Every structure is written in C-alpha cells, then in structure tokens.
Amino acid sequence: MTSIMDESEWSSRYRESNTKWDLGRSPGELLEFMRMQPAERTVLIPGCGRGYEISDLRRLGHSVCAVDFSEEAIRAAKSVIGDFADEIICGDFFGCDLPLGSFDICYERTFLCALPEELRERYGERIASLLKDGGVLAGVFHYGQPEDSDPPYPMTDDDRAHLLEGHFSLIADDPYESGLPVYSDHVERWQVWGKK
Ligand SMILES: C[S@@+](CC[C@H](N)C(=O)[O-])C[C@H]1O[C@@H](n2cnc3c(N)ncnc32)[C@H](O)[C@@H]1O
C-alpha cells in the first residue's frame, strides 16, 4: 500500500532541506546521453525538483520543459540554477496543460519511484502521450521489492511489465553509477525506452 505525498508534503521536505534524493548535480549518465544526441532535442522533465539538469541541458543547446507541483521545490531550484528556474511549470504533471506529441525525450530521475500507486498507473500513458513518435523515455529506473509505505517505491519485474511495457520497448539498459545511499537497497539502471 503506497502513501500519497501531496504538494504540501513535498514542499515541507524542501523547506526543511529533507531532500535525501537530491544528487546536487546532473547525473553523468544523462550528460553523456545528451552529448550523443545528433541534434537539438526537446526534453521533458517531470517532477524536476531543484532541476540541475535544466541549466546543463540548456547549455548543451537543448530545449527543456520542466514541471514540478511544489512551489518550495521551485524556490529551491531558483537558489541553485538561478533564472533557469523561472521556466519551471508549477503544476501537477498529470493534470497540467502540456503540448501532446511534442517532446523528443522525457528524462526520468526519482519521479516514478516517488509516485503513489494510482499515479504510477498513469505514468506510462501520460508520458507516451507527450512524446513524439520515435521519442524516448530515458533515465534512471529503480528495481527491487517495495517494503515501505512511504516512497521511494522500486519496481518489481511485474510492475515494470505493467507500468512501462504497454507503452514502451526497452532499447538500452546499462549500469547507473550515480546512485545515492538512500537508494542502496534498490537496483538502479540507466535505461532508454522507445515509445511504441
Ligand atoms: C523525489 S523528488 C525528485 C526530484 C528530482 N527529479 C530529482 O532528481 O532531484 C520528486 C519530485 O516530484 C515532484 N512531484 C511529485 N508528484 C508530482 C506531480 N503529480 N506533479 C508534479 N510534480 C510532482 C515533487 O514535488 C518532487 O520535487
């Protein structure tokens, strides 16, 4: 049974700097992946938190649309990425108005594993609807046996089939080296999923 962390609970975490999930930088795996892109890409970042990736991807020449529903997260982003934080859309990723079929890449880091069950169920469909044909979902995915009622929730193999494989096909699966102690009981993989 997953618990629901609403906007106010996430905001409290940011206010109290209780943000153990925060890497403090963009993962090297993302930067390497983006440097391999042959052209400018439009990148969607759901649940962007402090959004280090926004400034890095913009500097690499890509366009970025980042979303987070926590005003405190966006305030915290402002303190680390400055004016780039002004571009973050403050809203519920599942309800806000985003252009369908318009992103090349959706970048995932610790958003899926933070969602309660009913939103996890909508994740694959929502992201697939926002990606262009030929678009990819790329990032770090968490595997293991969920044990706590609070996030983060790793995926079992059954979860992965249920949550992702209806909308995406796995096209790359590599080790992820930028892990944090808070995820030490998860198996973290850098994966790229192609939209079906
Ligand atoms: C574990 S944090 C990860 C933040 C960021 N991706 C990172 O790697 O540091 C999860 C983030 O998702 C945001 N979030 C959770 N549910 C959301 C929703 N339905 N819509 C938008 N943002 C959401 C939270 O406010 C929080 O910033």
Side-chain angles (χ1 to χ4, degrees):
M1 185 68 171
T2 58
S3 68
I4 296 183
M5 273 185 64
D6 62 15
E7 185 279 331
S8 66
E9 286 173 272
W10 285 107
S11 278
S12 299
R13 299 270 186 111
Y14 284 101
R15 209 175 294 116
E16 294 156 11
S17 283
N18 178 11
T19 55
K20 292 186 190 130
W21 62 81
D22 191 312
L23 185 61
R25 59 179 171 82
S26 301
E29 288 82 353
L30 171 68
L31 299 178
E32 192 182 329
F33 176 73
M34 294 307 299
R35 285 196 188 104
M36 286 181 336
Q37 299 300 317
E40 179 190 335
R41 298 291 187 228
T42 52
V43 183
L44 173 67
I45 309 182
C48 63
R50 290 194 176 89
Y52 309 94
E53 298 88 349
I54 301 169
S55 50
D56 286 335
L57 298 190
R58 287 286 307 282
R59 288 192 192 103
L60 289 173
H62 302 290
S63 53
V64 180
C65 172
V67 182
D68 203 294
F69 67 4
S70 161
E71 286 185 12
E72 287 294 335
I74 296 174
R75 194 163 296 133
K78 181 93 185 160
S79 70
V80 295
I81 60 168
D83 291 348
F84 288 112
D86 297 339
E87 300 166 23
I88 298 172
I89 296 171
C90 187
D92 174 13
F93 175 69
F94 295 91
C96 69
D97 193 16
L98 294 170
L100 299 177
S102 61
F103 297 95
D104 298 302
I105 296 169
C106 177
Y107 167 62
E108 162 61 44
R109 181 180 182 274
T110 63
F111 180 61
L112 175 58
C113 72
L115 295 175
E117 206 164 325
E118 60 271 38
L119 290 181
R120 273 159 50 114
E121 296 283 329
R122 292 166 56 194
Y123 174 92
E125 185 179 6
R126 175 67 168 151
I127 287 174
S129 75
L130 293 164
L131 288 172
K132 295 176 183 171
D133 290 341
V136 297
L137 168 63
V140 53
F141 292 83
H142 292 238
Y143 294 96
Q145 208 60 43
E147 274 160 16
D148 292 330
S149 60
D150 289 330
Y153 309 114
M155 283 188 285
T156 63
D157 288 346
D158 282 352
D159 292 334
R160 162 175 140 151
H162 177 62
L163 299 174
L164 296 178
E165 290 172 6
H167 300 281
F168 303 97
S169 306
L170 187 60
I171 54 182
D173 182 10
D174 294 308
Y176 177 72
E177 309 290 350
S178 308
L180 288 173
V182 66
Y183 301 120
S184 59
D185 58 346
H186 296 186
V187 175
E188 295 175 277
R189 303 290 298 175
W190 174 267
Q191 296 183 331
V192 182
W193 293 82
K195 177 177 166 176
K196 281 185 175 170

